[in-house]
Amino acid sequence: DTAVSQTPKYLVTQMGNDKSIKCEQNLGHDTMYWYKQDSKKFLKIMFSYNNKELIINETVPNRFSPKSPDKAHLNLHINSLELGDSAVYFCASSPSGSPQYTQYFGPGTRLTVL
Amino acid sequence: GESVGLHLPTLSVQEGDNSIINCAYSNSASDYFIWYKQESGKGPQFIIDIRSNMDKRQGQRVTVLLNKTVKHLSLQIAATQPGDSAVYFCAESGRGGKLIFGQGTELSVKP
């Protein structure tokens, strides 16, 4: 069974479109995260949610809006996509928001904006 | 600001040799550090962690060393195998409990 899953794995879209990436974890964790990995493999946190409540919101454009319908799901919606949004987006989860708990990552969603 | 950096972006080693991957961090207040392994097309996978009250921690074929004086972290992999080929990231705990990842070092193992 996949612990942290993301859909879709690949997403190719035009500039200006709106798209969503879904994430689900079956580990019973309370905290979920979204990270962005650029072409140089640099990983940077975007958001974290603890039990459906937003905990971390880095300086991410307002076009990015996370939504957590329940603690097992954290979706990422992106409005008005731009070329610079092209990256691999990773969802992760951990038992709590403390960094001393291991974060488990999903397989990633490669977003390409044309 | 907070940053975690790596000395070498790529490392090539012979199968069976030991590998050492280095990492420098800037926040002296960080109290938790983690190494992740990312294979091609996959998400990062936890390898080993260390708290700031320790200077060494060993796992299976991996050892993490922490030198708080010079704010340096290293990952040692013993008897490197082809399956160890991946990008390795160090990460430190930052403000608000978030993890701050370093640039990554790509390890290539030659048979």
Side-chain angles (χ1 to χ4, degrees):
Chain A
D1 283 345
T2 305
V4 181
S5 59
Q6 297 178 226
T7 54
K9 187 164 175 64
Y10 300 97
L11 186 52
V12 181
T13 188
Q14 300 285 333
M15 267 197 310
N17 284 350
D18 303 338
K19 290 293 179 185
S20 292
I21 306 172
K22 296 187 176 182
C23 178
E24 176 181 1
Q25 53 95 4
N26 62 5
L27 297 167
H29 289 167
D30 284 340
T31 307
M32 296 184 72
Y33 311 80
W34 277 110
Y35 288 86
K36 179 180 180 180
Q37 186 172 47
D38 64 21
S39 58
K40 296 181 180 177
K41 300 280 190 183
F42 185 65
L43 261 169
K44 186 170 165 59
I45 190 166
M46 300 172 70
F47 303 101
S48 80
Y49 269 71
N50 187 66
N51 232 339
K52 301 194 298 175
E53 182 184 345
L54 181 65
I55 301 299
I56 294 174
N57 185 348
E58 290 295 285
T59 50
V60 177
N62 291 336
R63 299 182 293 103
F64 290 80
S65 52
K67 284 188 171 51
S68 182
D70 54 63
K71 74 173 193 177
H73 296 83
L74 181 62
N75 303 323
L76 183 65
H77 188 76
I78 315 170
N79 290 326
S80 304
L81 278 155
E82 300 177 358
L83 293 176
D85 298 331
S86 295
V88 182
Y89 292 84
F90 287 99
C91 176
S93 74
S94 65
S96 85
S98 168
Q100 299 187 12
Y101 285 102
T102 301
Q103 293 187 23
Y104 295 84
F105 283 77
T109 296
R110 181 175 292 277
L111 171 64
T112 303
V113 182
L114 304 175
Chain B
E2 298 163 338
S3 67
V4 178
L6 292 170
H7 296 312
L8 293 172
T10 61
L11 177 65
S12 182
V13 300
Q14 204 70 38
E15 181 178 357
D17 288 351
N18 296 335
S19 303
I20 300 176
I21 300 171
N22 296 304
C23 178
Y25 64 94
S26 60
N27 186 359
S28 57
S30 293
D31 58 5
Y32 181 64
F33 304 88
I34 313 98
W35 282 98
Y36 279 88
K37 172 187 180 183
Q38 186 179 18
E39 295 176 272
S40 181
K42 297 184 179 179
Q45 179 183 16
F46 172 88
I47 302 172
I48 192 167
D49 58 3
I50 189 166
R51 299 199 194 315
S52 61
N53 61 354
M54 303 169 70
D55 52 22
K56 180 179 180 179
R57 189 161 189 223
Q58 287 184 291
Q60 190 175 17
R61 284 201 305 116
V62 294
T63 301
V64 56
L65 299 177
L66 175 62
N67 184 332
K68 293 182 288 294
T69 303
V70 295
K71 292 186 284 187
H72 184 268
L73 195 66
S74 68
L75 176 71
Q76 300 178 0
I77 305 173
T80 314
Q81 302 168 1
D84 295 327
S85 294
V87 177
Y88 289 81
F89 294 93
C90 64
E92 63 174 311
S93 61
R95 290 191 304 269
K98 68 182 181 183
L99 290 180
I100 301 165
F101 283 84
Q103 181 184 14
T105 293
E106 183 167 13
L107 176 64
S108 175
V109 182
K110 296 177 287 187

